[in-house]
Short mmCIF file of all heavy atoms in Angstrom, two decimals:
data_model
loop_
_atom_site.label_atom_id
_atom_site.label_comp_id
_atom_site.label_asym_id
_atom_site.label_seq_id
_atom_site.Cartn_x
_atom_site.Cartn_y
_atom_site.Cartn_z
N MET A 96 -4.98 15.21 7.40
CA MET A 96 -3.79 14.41 7.26
C MET A 96 -2.59 15.28 7.62
O MET A 96 -2.54 16.44 7.26
CB MET A 96 -3.65 13.88 5.84
CG MET A 96 -2.39 13.12 5.72
SD MET A 96 -1.95 12.16 4.26
CE MET A 96 -3.22 12.20 3.13
N ALA A 97 -1.65 14.71 8.34
CA ALA A 97 -0.47 15.45 8.77
C ALA A 97 0.47 15.71 7.59
O ALA A 97 0.66 14.87 6.73
CB ALA A 97 0.26 14.67 9.85
N ASP A 98 1.04 16.87 7.57
CA ASP A 98 2.03 17.23 6.58
C ASP A 98 3.39 16.80 7.11
O ASP A 98 3.84 17.28 8.14
CB ASP A 98 1.99 18.75 6.35
CG ASP A 98 2.96 19.20 5.27
OD1 ASP A 98 3.92 18.47 4.95
OD2 ASP A 98 2.75 20.30 4.76
N LYS A 99 4.05 15.87 6.41
CA LYS A 99 5.32 15.31 6.90
C LYS A 99 6.42 16.36 7.01
O LYS A 99 7.37 16.17 7.72
CB LYS A 99 5.77 14.15 6.01
CG LYS A 99 4.89 12.95 6.20
CD LYS A 99 5.46 11.76 5.47
CE LYS A 99 4.50 10.61 5.61
NZ LYS A 99 5.03 9.50 6.27
N ARG A 100 6.28 17.48 6.30
CA ARG A 100 7.30 18.51 6.38
C ARG A 100 7.22 19.26 7.70
O ARG A 100 8.21 19.80 8.17
CB ARG A 100 7.16 19.50 5.23
CG ARG A 100 7.45 18.85 3.87
CD ARG A 100 7.06 19.75 2.76
NE ARG A 100 5.59 19.89 2.83
CZ ARG A 100 4.87 20.64 2.02
NH1 ARG A 100 5.45 21.35 1.09
NH2 ARG A 100 3.57 20.70 2.13
N THR A 101 6.03 19.32 8.32
CA THR A 101 5.87 20.08 9.56
C THR A 101 5.50 19.21 10.75
O THR A 101 5.51 19.68 11.87
CB THR A 101 4.80 21.17 9.38
OG1 THR A 101 3.57 20.55 9.03
CG2 THR A 101 5.21 22.16 8.32
N ASP A 102 5.16 17.96 10.53
CA ASP A 102 4.74 17.08 11.61
C ASP A 102 5.96 16.50 12.31
O ASP A 102 6.71 15.73 11.72
CB ASP A 102 3.87 15.95 11.06
CG ASP A 102 3.35 15.00 12.13
OD1 ASP A 102 3.63 15.24 13.32
OD2 ASP A 102 2.65 14.06 11.77
N PRO A 103 6.19 16.84 13.58
CA PRO A 103 7.38 16.34 14.28
C PRO A 103 7.35 14.84 14.52
O PRO A 103 8.37 14.24 14.80
CB PRO A 103 7.36 17.11 15.60
CG PRO A 103 5.93 17.48 15.81
CD PRO A 103 5.35 17.67 14.43
N ASN A 104 6.20 14.20 14.40
CA ASN A 104 6.10 12.76 14.65
C ASN A 104 6.27 11.92 13.40
O ASN A 104 6.29 10.70 13.47
CB ASN A 104 4.75 12.44 15.30
CG ASN A 104 4.61 13.09 16.64
OD1 ASN A 104 5.56 13.10 17.42
ND2 ASN A 104 3.46 13.67 16.90
N SER A 105 6.37 12.52 12.23
CA SER A 105 6.39 11.75 10.99
C SER A 105 7.56 10.80 10.91
O SER A 105 7.46 9.74 10.30
CB SER A 105 6.35 12.66 9.77
OG SER A 105 7.56 13.39 9.68
N SER A 106 8.70 11.13 11.50
CA SER A 106 9.85 10.22 11.46
C SER A 106 9.63 9.00 12.35
O SER A 106 10.40 8.05 12.29
CB SER A 106 11.13 10.94 11.86
OG SER A 106 11.04 11.34 13.21
N GLN A 107 8.59 9.03 13.14
CA GLN A 107 8.29 7.92 14.04
C GLN A 107 7.25 6.97 13.44
O GLN A 107 6.78 6.07 14.12
CB GLN A 107 7.79 8.46 15.38
CG GLN A 107 8.79 9.35 16.08
CD GLN A 107 10.12 8.65 16.33
OE1 GLN A 107 10.15 7.50 16.76
NE2 GLN A 107 11.21 9.33 16.05
N GLU A 108 6.91 7.17 12.18
CA GLU A 108 5.89 6.36 11.51
C GLU A 108 6.50 5.64 10.31
O GLU A 108 7.42 6.15 9.68
CB GLU A 108 4.75 7.25 11.03
CG GLU A 108 4.09 8.03 12.13
CD GLU A 108 3.22 9.16 11.62
OE1 GLU A 108 3.08 9.30 10.38
OE2 GLU A 108 2.68 9.89 12.44
N VAL A 109 5.98 4.47 10.01
CA VAL A 109 6.35 3.75 8.80
C VAL A 109 5.07 3.31 8.11
O VAL A 109 4.02 3.19 8.73
CB VAL A 109 7.25 2.52 9.08
CG1 VAL A 109 8.58 2.94 9.66
CG2 VAL A 109 6.55 1.53 9.98
N GLY A 110 5.17 3.07 6.81
CA GLY A 110 3.99 2.62 6.10
C GLY A 110 4.33 2.15 4.71
O GLY A 110 5.44 2.35 4.21
N THR A 111 3.37 1.50 4.11
CA THR A 111 3.49 1.03 2.74
C THR A 111 2.10 1.10 2.10
O THR A 111 1.09 1.03 2.80
CB THR A 111 4.08 -0.39 2.67
OG1 THR A 111 4.30 -0.74 1.31
CG2 THR A 111 3.20 -1.41 3.33
N ALA A 112 2.07 1.28 0.80
CA ALA A 112 0.79 1.39 0.09
C ALA A 112 0.90 0.72 -1.27
O ALA A 112 1.99 0.54 -1.80
CB ALA A 112 0.41 2.85 -0.09
N ALA A 113 -0.25 0.34 -1.82
CA ALA A 113 -0.30 -0.25 -3.15
C ALA A 113 -1.57 0.23 -3.84
O ALA A 113 -2.60 0.41 -3.19
CB ALA A 113 -0.30 -1.78 -3.06
N PRO A 114 -1.51 0.45 -5.15
CA PRO A 114 -2.69 0.95 -5.87
C PRO A 114 -3.74 -0.12 -6.08
O PRO A 114 -3.44 -1.31 -6.17
CB PRO A 114 -2.11 1.40 -7.21
CG PRO A 114 -0.92 0.53 -7.40
CD PRO A 114 -0.36 0.30 -6.02
N VAL A 115 -4.99 0.34 -6.16
CA VAL A 115 -6.14 -0.50 -6.51
C VAL A 115 -6.63 0.01 -7.86
O VAL A 115 -6.84 1.20 -8.04
CB VAL A 115 -7.26 -0.39 -5.46
CG1 VAL A 115 -8.52 -1.09 -5.93
CG2 VAL A 115 -6.79 -0.93 -4.12
N PHE A 116 -6.81 -0.90 -8.82
CA PHE A 116 -7.24 -0.54 -10.16
C PHE A 116 -8.70 -0.90 -10.37
O PHE A 116 -9.17 -1.92 -9.85
CB PHE A 116 -6.38 -1.25 -11.21
CG PHE A 116 -4.93 -0.84 -11.14
CD1 PHE A 116 -4.04 -1.55 -10.37
CD2 PHE A 116 -4.47 0.26 -11.85
CE1 PHE A 116 -2.71 -1.18 -10.29
CE2 PHE A 116 -3.15 0.65 -11.78
CZ PHE A 116 -2.26 -0.07 -11.00
N ASP A 117 -9.40 -0.09 -11.14
CA ASP A 117 -10.80 -0.39 -11.45
C ASP A 117 -10.90 -1.24 -12.73
O ASP A 117 -9.89 -1.67 -13.28
CB ASP A 117 -11.62 0.90 -11.56
CG ASP A 117 -11.21 1.80 -12.72
OD1 ASP A 117 -10.46 1.35 -13.62
OD2 ASP A 117 -11.64 2.97 -12.72
N HIS A 118 -12.12 -1.44 -13.20
CA HIS A 118 -12.35 -2.29 -14.38
C HIS A 118 -11.75 -1.72 -15.65
O HIS A 118 -11.60 -2.44 -16.63
CB HIS A 118 -13.86 -2.52 -14.56
CG HIS A 118 -14.61 -1.28 -14.88
ND1 HIS A 118 -14.95 -0.35 -13.91
CD2 HIS A 118 -15.08 -0.80 -16.05
CE1 HIS A 118 -15.60 0.64 -14.48
NE2 HIS A 118 -15.70 0.40 -15.78
N ARG A 119 -11.39 -0.43 -15.65
CA ARG A 119 -10.74 0.18 -16.82
C ARG A 119 -9.22 0.10 -16.72
O ARG A 119 -8.52 0.55 -17.63
CB ARG A 119 -11.17 1.64 -16.94
CG ARG A 119 -12.65 1.83 -17.20
CD ARG A 119 -13.00 3.30 -17.19
NE ARG A 119 -12.62 3.89 -15.91
CZ ARG A 119 -13.46 4.35 -15.00
NH1 ARG A 119 -14.75 4.31 -15.22
NH2 ARG A 119 -13.02 4.87 -13.88
N GLY A 120 -8.72 -0.42 -15.60
CA GLY A 120 -7.28 -0.48 -15.39
C GLY A 120 -6.71 0.82 -14.87
O GLY A 120 -5.49 1.00 -14.85
N GLU A 121 -7.58 1.71 -14.42
CA GLU A 121 -7.14 2.99 -13.88
C GLU A 121 -7.09 2.92 -12.35
O GLU A 121 -7.88 2.21 -11.73
CB GLU A 121 -8.08 4.10 -14.32
CG GLU A 121 -8.07 4.30 -15.83
CD GLU A 121 -9.00 5.41 -16.28
OE1 GLU A 121 -9.43 6.22 -15.43
OE2 GLU A 121 -9.29 5.46 -17.48
N VAL A 122 -6.18 3.67 -11.77
CA VAL A 122 -6.08 3.69 -10.31
C VAL A 122 -7.36 4.29 -9.74
O VAL A 122 -7.78 5.38 -10.11
CB VAL A 122 -4.85 4.49 -9.84
CG1 VAL A 122 -4.81 4.59 -8.33
CG2 VAL A 122 -3.57 3.84 -10.35
N ALA A 123 -8.00 3.53 -8.84
CA ALA A 123 -9.25 3.96 -8.24
C ALA A 123 -9.10 4.25 -6.75
O ALA A 123 -9.89 4.99 -6.17
CB ALA A 123 -10.32 2.89 -8.44
N ALA A 124 -8.09 3.65 -6.13
CA ALA A 124 -7.90 3.78 -4.69
C ALA A 124 -6.52 3.24 -4.34
O ALA A 124 -5.74 2.89 -5.23
CB ALA A 124 -8.98 3.01 -3.94
N ALA A 125 -6.27 3.14 -3.08
CA ALA A 125 -5.03 2.53 -2.60
C ALA A 125 -5.29 1.85 -1.27
O ALA A 125 -6.20 2.23 -0.53
CB ALA A 125 -3.94 3.58 -2.43
N VAL A 126 -4.51 0.83 -1.01
CA VAL A 126 -4.51 0.17 0.30
C VAL A 126 -3.26 0.65 1.00
O VAL A 126 -2.17 0.64 0.42
CB VAL A 126 -4.51 -1.37 0.16
CG1 VAL A 126 -4.35 -2.03 1.52
CG2 VAL A 126 -5.78 -1.84 -0.52
N LEU A 127 -3.41 1.09 2.24
CA LEU A 127 -2.31 1.64 3.01
C LEU A 127 -2.27 0.99 4.38
O LEU A 127 -3.30 0.79 5.01
CB LEU A 127 -2.49 3.16 3.18
CG LEU A 127 -1.62 3.86 4.21
CD1 LEU A 127 -0.18 3.92 3.74
CD2 LEU A 127 -2.15 5.25 4.49
N ALA A 128 -1.08 0.65 4.82
CA ALA A 128 -0.87 0.19 6.19
C ALA A 128 0.22 1.06 6.79
O ALA A 128 1.28 1.25 6.19
CB ALA A 128 -0.45 -1.27 6.21
N SER A 129 -0.07 1.62 7.95
CA SER A 129 0.93 2.43 8.64
C SER A 129 0.94 2.04 10.11
O SER A 129 -0.03 1.50 10.63
CB SER A 129 0.62 3.92 8.48
OG SER A 129 -0.62 4.23 9.08
N ALA A 130 2.06 2.32 10.75
CA ALA A 130 2.22 1.94 12.15
C ALA A 130 3.33 2.79 12.77
O ALA A 130 4.18 3.33 12.07
CB ALA A 130 2.58 0.47 12.26
N PRO A 131 3.33 2.86 14.09
CA PRO A 131 4.47 3.51 14.75
C PRO A 131 5.74 2.72 14.45
O PRO A 131 5.72 1.49 14.39
CB PRO A 131 4.13 3.42 16.24
CG PRO A 131 2.67 3.13 16.30
CD PRO A 131 2.33 2.41 15.04
N ARG A 132 6.83 3.43 14.21
CA ARG A 132 8.10 2.79 13.86
C ARG A 132 8.52 1.73 14.88
O ARG A 132 9.03 0.68 14.51
CB ARG A 132 9.18 3.84 13.71
CG ARG A 132 10.51 3.28 13.23
CD ARG A 132 11.54 4.36 12.96
NE ARG A 132 11.13 5.27 11.89
CZ ARG A 132 11.22 5.00 10.60
NH1 ARG A 132 11.71 3.86 10.19
NH2 ARG A 132 10.83 5.88 9.70
N PHE A 133 8.27 1.96 16.16
CA PHE A 133 8.71 1.01 17.18
C PHE A 133 7.97 -0.32 17.11
O PHE A 133 8.41 -1.31 17.66
CB PHE A 133 8.61 1.62 18.59
CG PHE A 133 7.21 1.74 19.12
CD1 PHE A 133 6.62 0.70 19.84
CD2 PHE A 133 6.48 2.90 18.92
CE1 PHE A 133 5.34 0.82 20.34
CE2 PHE A 133 5.20 3.04 19.42
CZ PHE A 133 4.62 1.99 20.14
N ARG A 134 6.85 -0.37 16.40
CA ARG A 134 6.09 -1.62 16.28
C ARG A 134 6.46 -2.45 15.06
O ARG A 134 6.07 -3.60 14.95
CB ARG A 134 4.60 -1.32 16.22
CG ARG A 134 4.05 -0.72 17.48
CD ARG A 134 2.72 -1.32 17.76
NE ARG A 134 2.14 -0.71 18.94
CZ ARG A 134 2.06 -1.33 20.11
NH1 ARG A 134 2.52 -2.55 20.24
NH2 ARG A 134 1.51 -0.72 21.12
N VAL A 135 7.19 -1.86 14.11
CA VAL A 135 7.53 -2.55 12.87
C VAL A 135 9.04 -2.51 12.68
O VAL A 135 9.61 -1.47 12.38
CB VAL A 135 6.83 -1.90 11.65
CG1 VAL A 135 7.17 -2.66 10.38
CG2 VAL A 135 5.33 -1.82 11.86
N PHE A 136 9.67 -3.66 12.85
CA PHE A 136 11.11 -3.74 12.64
C PHE A 136 11.40 -3.70 11.14
O PHE A 136 10.60 -4.17 10.33
CB PHE A 136 11.68 -5.01 13.26
CG PHE A 136 11.59 -5.01 14.76
CD1 PHE A 136 10.64 -5.75 15.42
CD2 PHE A 136 12.48 -4.24 15.50
CE1 PHE A 136 10.55 -5.74 16.80
CE2 PHE A 136 12.41 -4.22 16.88
CZ PHE A 136 11.44 -4.97 17.54
N PRO A 137 12.53 -3.15 10.73
CA PRO A 137 12.85 -3.01 9.30
C PRO A 137 12.74 -4.32 8.51
O PRO A 137 12.31 -4.32 7.36
CB PRO A 137 14.28 -2.49 9.30
CG PRO A 137 14.41 -1.76 10.59
CD PRO A 137 13.56 -2.54 11.57
N ASP A 138 13.09 -5.44 9.12
CA ASP A 138 13.02 -6.71 8.40
C ASP A 138 11.58 -7.17 8.17
O ASP A 138 11.33 -8.07 7.37
CB ASP A 138 13.83 -7.79 9.11
CG ASP A 138 13.29 -8.12 10.49
OD1 ASP A 138 12.75 -7.23 11.15
OD2 ASP A 138 13.44 -9.29 10.91
N ARG A 139 10.61 -6.55 8.83
CA ARG A 139 9.21 -6.90 8.65
C ARG A 139 8.52 -6.05 7.59
O ARG A 139 7.41 -6.37 7.15
CB ARG A 139 8.44 -6.76 9.98
CG ARG A 139 8.96 -7.64 11.09
CD ARG A 139 8.93 -9.10 10.76
NE ARG A 139 7.55 -9.55 10.63
CZ ARG A 139 7.19 -10.70 10.10
NH1 ARG A 139 8.09 -11.53 9.65
NH2 ARG A 139 5.93 -11.03 10.02
N LEU A 140 9.16 -4.96 7.16
CA LEU A 140 8.53 -4.10 6.15
C LEU A 140 8.23 -4.82 4.85
O LEU A 140 7.15 -4.63 4.27
CB LEU A 140 9.39 -2.86 5.89
CG LEU A 140 9.23 -1.75 6.92
CD1 LEU A 140 10.23 -0.63 6.65
CD2 LEU A 140 7.82 -1.21 6.93
N PRO A 141 9.12 -5.67 4.33
CA PRO A 141 8.77 -6.41 3.11
C PRO A 141 7.53 -7.30 3.29
O PRO A 141 6.71 -7.42 2.37
CB PRO A 141 10.01 -7.25 2.82
CG PRO A 141 11.13 -6.51 3.47
CD PRO A 141 10.52 -5.91 4.71
N VAL A 142 7.38 -7.90 4.45
CA VAL A 142 6.21 -8.74 4.71
C VAL A 142 4.95 -7.88 4.72
O VAL A 142 3.92 -8.24 4.14
CB VAL A 142 6.37 -9.49 6.06
CG1 VAL A 142 5.12 -10.26 6.41
CG2 VAL A 142 7.57 -10.42 6.00
N LEU A 143 5.04 -6.73 5.36
CA LEU A 143 3.92 -5.80 5.39
C LEU A 143 3.59 -5.34 3.96
O LEU A 143 2.42 -5.28 3.57
CB LEU A 143 4.25 -4.60 6.28
CG LEU A 143 3.16 -3.57 6.49
CD1 LEU A 143 1.93 -4.19 7.15
CD2 LEU A 143 3.70 -2.42 7.34
N GLY A 144 4.62 -5.05 3.17
CA GLY A 144 4.41 -4.64 1.78
C GLY A 144 3.72 -5.71 0.97
O GLY A 144 2.83 -5.42 0.16
N GLU A 145 4.12 -6.96 1.14
CA GLU A 145 3.49 -8.07 0.41
C GLU A 145 2.02 -8.21 0.81
O GLU A 145 1.17 -8.45 -0.05
CB GLU A 145 4.23 -9.38 0.70
CG GLU A 145 5.56 -9.48 0.00
CD GLU A 145 5.41 -9.64 -1.50
OE1 GLU A 145 4.46 -10.31 -1.96
OE2 GLU A 145 6.24 -9.07 -2.22
N ALA A 146 1.71 -8.06 2.09
CA ALA A 146 0.32 -8.17 2.55
C ALA A 146 -0.53 -7.04 1.97
O ALA A 146 -1.67 -7.26 1.53
CB ALA A 146 0.27 -8.15 4.07
N VAL A 147 0.02 -5.83 1.94
CA VAL A 147 -0.70 -4.70 1.37
C VAL A 147 -0.92 -4.91 -0.13
O VAL A 147 -2.01 -4.68 -0.64
CB VAL A 147 0.06 -3.38 1.65
CG1 VAL A 147 -0.47 -2.24 0.81
CG2 VAL A 147 -0.02 -3.05 3.14
N ARG A 148 0.11 -5.36 -0.83
CA ARG A 148 -0.04 -5.60 -2.27
C ARG A 148 -1.07 -6.69 -2.53
O ARG A 148 -1.90 -6.57 -3.44
CB ARG A 148 1.29 -5.98 -2.91
CG ARG A 148 1.13 -6.00 -4.44
CD ARG A 148 2.33 -6.51 -5.16
NE ARG A 148 2.52 -7.90 -4.77
CZ ARG A 148 3.69 -8.47 -4.59
NH1 ARG A 148 4.79 -7.78 -4.77
NH2 ARG A 148 3.79 -9.71 -4.24
N ALA A 149 -1.06 -7.75 -1.75
CA ALA A 149 -2.04 -8.83 -1.93
C ALA A 149 -3.46 -8.32 -1.70
O ALA A 149 -4.38 -8.66 -2.46
CB ALA A 149 -1.72 -9.99 -1.00
N ALA A 150 -3.64 -7.48 -0.69
CA ALA A 150 -4.96 -6.92 -0.43
C ALA A 150 -5.40 -6.01 -1.58
O ALA A 150 -6.55 -6.08 -2.03
CB ALA A 150 -4.95 -6.15 0.89
N ALA A 151 -4.49 -5.18 -2.07
CA ALA A 151 -4.82 -4.30 -3.20
C ALA A 151 -5.16 -5.12 -4.44
O ALA A 151 -6.10 -4.78 -5.17
CB ALA A 151 -3.66 -3.35 -3.48
N ASP A 152 -4.42 -6.17 -4.70
CA ASP A 152 -4.71 -7.03 -5.86
C ASP A 152 -6.07 -7.69 -5.72
O ASP A 152 -6.81 -7.83 -6.71
CB ASP A 152 -3.62 -8.09 -6.03
CG ASP A 152 -2.32 -7.52 -6.57
OD1 ASP A 152 -2.31 -6.36 -7.05
OD2 ASP A 152 -1.30 -8.23 -6.50
N GLN A 153 -6.43 -8.10 -4.51
CA GLN A 153 -7.73 -8.73 -4.29
C GLN A 153 -8.87 -7.73 -4.55
O GLN A 153 -9.85 -8.06 -5.21
CB GLN A 153 -7.82 -9.29 -2.87
CG GLN A 153 -9.11 -10.02 -2.60
CD GLN A 153 -9.14 -10.63 -1.21
OE1 GLN A 153 -8.30 -10.35 -0.37
NE2 GLN A 153 -10.11 -11.47 -0.98
N VAL A 154 -8.73 -6.52 -4.05
CA VAL A 154 -9.75 -5.50 -4.30
C VAL A 154 -9.81 -5.19 -5.79
O VAL A 154 -10.90 -5.05 -6.37
CB VAL A 154 -9.46 -4.22 -3.48
CG1 VAL A 154 -10.45 -3.12 -3.84
CG2 VAL A 154 -9.51 -4.52 -1.99
N THR A 155 -8.65 -5.10 -6.44
CA THR A 155 -8.60 -4.84 -7.88
C THR A 155 -9.39 -5.89 -8.65
O THR A 155 -10.19 -5.57 -9.53
CB THR A 155 -7.13 -4.82 -8.35
OG1 THR A 155 -6.49 -3.66 -7.82
CG2 THR A 155 -7.03 -4.80 -9.87
N ARG A 156 -9.20 -7.15 -8.31
CA ARG A 156 -9.94 -8.23 -8.99
C ARG A 156 -11.44 -8.08 -8.75
O ARG A 156 -12.24 -8.28 -9.65
CB ARG A 156 -9.44 -9.59 -8.54
CG ARG A 156 -8.09 -9.96 -9.13
CD ARG A 156 -7.71 -11.41 -8.86
NE ARG A 156 -7.66 -11.73 -7.44
CZ ARG A 156 -6.61 -11.53 -6.65
NH1 ARG A 156 -5.52 -10.98 -7.14
NH2 ARG A 156 -6.66 -11.86 -5.38
N ARG A 157 -11.81 -7.71 -7.54
CA ARG A 157 -13.24 -7.55 -7.22
C ARG A 157 -13.86 -6.38 -7.99
O ARG A 157 -15.06 -6.38 -8.25
CB ARG A 157 -13.45 -7.40 -5.73
CG ARG A 157 -13.17 -8.69 -4.98
CD ARG A 157 -13.51 -8.56 -3.53
NE ARG A 157 -14.92 -8.25 -3.35
CZ ARG A 157 -15.83 -9.09 -2.93
NH1 ARG A 157 -15.48 -10.33 -2.63
NH2 ARG A 157 -17.07 -8.72 -2.76
N LEU A 158 -13.03 -5.40 -8.34
CA LEU A 158 -13.52 -4.26 -9.12
C LEU A 158 -13.54 -4.56 -10.61
O LEU A 158 -13.95 -3.73 -11.41
CB LEU A 158 -12.66 -3.02 -8.85
CG LEU A 158 -12.82 -2.41 -7.47
CD1 LEU A 158 -11.88 -1.22 -7.31
CD2 LEU A 158 -14.26 -1.97 -7.22
N GLY A 159 -13.07 -5.74 -10.99
CA GLY A 159 -13.20 -6.18 -12.37
C GLY A 159 -11.97 -6.02 -13.24
O GLY A 159 -12.04 -6.23 -14.43
N ASP A 160 -10.85 -5.64 -12.66
CA ASP A 160 -9.63 -5.51 -13.47
C ASP A 160 -8.90 -6.84 -13.47
O ASP A 160 -8.41 -7.30 -12.45
CB ASP A 160 -8.71 -4.42 -12.94
CG ASP A 160 -7.49 -4.26 -13.82
OD1 ASP A 160 -7.64 -3.67 -14.90
OD2 ASP A 160 -6.42 -4.74 -13.44
N HIS A 161 -8.87 -7.48 -14.62
CA HIS A 161 -8.18 -8.77 -14.77
C HIS A 161 -7.18 -8.71 -15.91
O HIS A 161 -6.80 -9.73 -16.46
CB HIS A 161 -9.19 -9.89 -15.05
CG HIS A 161 -10.22 -10.03 -13.97
ND1 HIS A 161 -9.96 -10.62 -12.76
CD2 HIS A 161 -11.50 -9.62 -13.92
CE1 HIS A 161 -11.05 -10.58 -12.02
NE2 HIS A 161 -12.00 -9.98 -12.69
N GLY A 162 -6.79 -7.50 -16.28
CA GLY A 162 -5.94 -7.31 -17.44
C GLY A 162 -4.64 -8.08 -17.37
O GLY A 162 -3.84 -7.85 -16.48
N PRO A 163 -4.43 -9.02 -18.29
CA PRO A 163 -3.21 -9.82 -18.26
C PRO A 163 -1.96 -9.01 -18.61
O PRO A 163 -0.86 -9.38 -18.25
CB PRO A 163 -3.46 -10.91 -19.30
CG PRO A 163 -4.45 -10.29 -20.23
CD PRO A 163 -5.30 -9.38 -19.38
N ASN A 164 -2.14 -7.87 -19.29
CA ASN A 164 -0.99 -7.08 -19.70
C ASN A 164 -0.60 -6.04 -18.66
O ASN A 164 0.43 -5.39 -18.80
CB ASN A 164 -1.26 -6.39 -21.04
CG ASN A 164 -1.44 -7.40 -22.13
OD1 ASN A 164 -0.79 -8.44 -22.14
ND2 ASN A 164 -2.34 -7.13 -23.05
N ARG A 165 -1.45 -5.85 -17.65
CA ARG A 165 -1.12 -4.88 -16.62
C ARG A 165 -0.16 -5.52 -15.64
O ARG A 165 -0.39 -6.62 -15.16
CB ARG A 165 -2.37 -4.41 -15.88
CG ARG A 165 -2.05 -3.29 -14.90
CD ARG A 165 -3.26 -2.81 -14.16
NE ARG A 165 -4.00 -3.85 -13.48
CZ ARG A 165 -3.60 -4.43 -12.34
NH1 ARG A 165 -2.48 -4.10 -11.79
NH2 ARG A 165 -4.34 -5.35 -11.79
N PRO A 166 0.96 -4.87 -15.35
CA PRO A 166 1.89 -5.45 -14.40
C PRO A 166 1.27 -5.56 -13.03
O PRO A 166 0.41 -4.77 -12.66
CB PRO A 166 3.07 -4.48 -14.39
CG PRO A 166 2.60 -3.24 -15.04
CD PRO A 166 1.39 -3.57 -15.85
N ARG A 167 1.69 -6.58 -12.30
CA ARG A 167 1.23 -6.78 -10.94
C ARG A 167 1.56 -5.53 -10.13
O ARG A 167 2.63 -4.96 -10.27
CB ARG A 167 1.95 -7.99 -10.36
CG ARG A 167 1.47 -8.45 -9.04
CD ARG A 167 2.13 -9.75 -8.73
NE ARG A 167 2.79 -9.61 -7.46
CZ ARG A 167 3.32 -10.59 -6.78
NH1 ARG A 167 3.31 -11.80 -7.28
NH2 ARG A 167 3.88 -10.40 -5.63
N SER A 168 0.63 -5.10 -9.29
CA SER A 168 0.87 -3.89 -8.52
C SER A 168 2.03 -4.12 -7.56
O SER A 168 2.26 -5.21 -7.09
CB SER A 168 -0.38 -3.48 -7.75
OG SER A 168 -0.73 -4.47 -6.82
N ALA A 169 2.74 -3.06 -7.30
CA ALA A 169 3.87 -3.11 -6.38
C ALA A 169 3.67 -2.06 -5.31
O ALA A 169 3.14 -0.99 -5.58
CB ALA A 169 5.18 -2.85 -7.15
N PRO A 170 4.08 -2.35 -4.12
CA PRO A 170 3.95 -1.35 -3.06
C PRO A 170 4.79 -0.12 -3.39
O PRO A 170 5.84 -0.23 -4.01
CB PRO A 170 4.50 -2.04 -1.82
CG PRO A 170 4.90 -3.39 -2.21
CD PRO A 170 4.70 -3.56 -3.67
N PHE A 171 4.31 1.01 -3.01
CA PHE A 171 5.08 2.24 -3.20
C PHE A 171 5.01 3.08 -1.97
O PHE A 171 4.29 2.84 -1.07
CB PHE A 171 4.62 3.03 -4.42
CG PHE A 171 3.18 3.39 -4.44
CD1 PHE A 171 2.75 4.58 -3.85
CD2 PHE A 171 2.24 2.58 -5.02
CE1 PHE A 171 1.42 4.92 -3.88
CE2 PHE A 171 0.90 2.93 -5.06
CZ PHE A 171 0.49 4.11 -4.48
#
């Protein structure tokens, strides 16, 4: 994985991620979407974030986490 502090191309990339929780409510993985900056306009980032969060929530449910008290995952 590229280190953003030394990778000259890192400013040319955008991405969003959301956590995936297991049946214990613990973070087990993450869903990530990244793309070259020129392919994703700033106004599309929220849409991409919502799609990533929805995918992470779907995987979370499949792993058995249905906790009503756990806040809905948010992209980070």
Side-chain angles (χ1 to χ4, degrees):
M96 177 172 357
D98 183 340
K99 289 188 184 242
R100 294 169 295 179
T101 60
D102 182 2
N104 297 318
S105 67
S106 65
Q107 300 303 316
E108 302 165 3
V109 296
T111 186
V115 172
F116 297 92
D117 65 13
H118 65 282
R119 296 175 302 248
E121 296 180 16
V122 176
V126 174
L127 167 71
S129 63
R132 185 174 298 281
F133 73 89
R134 295 221 183 253
V135 181
F136 293 104
D138 64 328
R139 300 301 294 166
L140 280 174
V142 175
L143 184 60
E145 286 290 324
V147 167
R148 189 186 64 217
D152 286 347
Q153 183 177 11
V154 175
T155 291
R156 285 189 302 275
R157 290 186 60 106
L158 290 178
D160 182 76
H161 301 284
N164 296 324
R165 186 180 54 75
R167 188 171 125 170
S168 63
F171 56 89

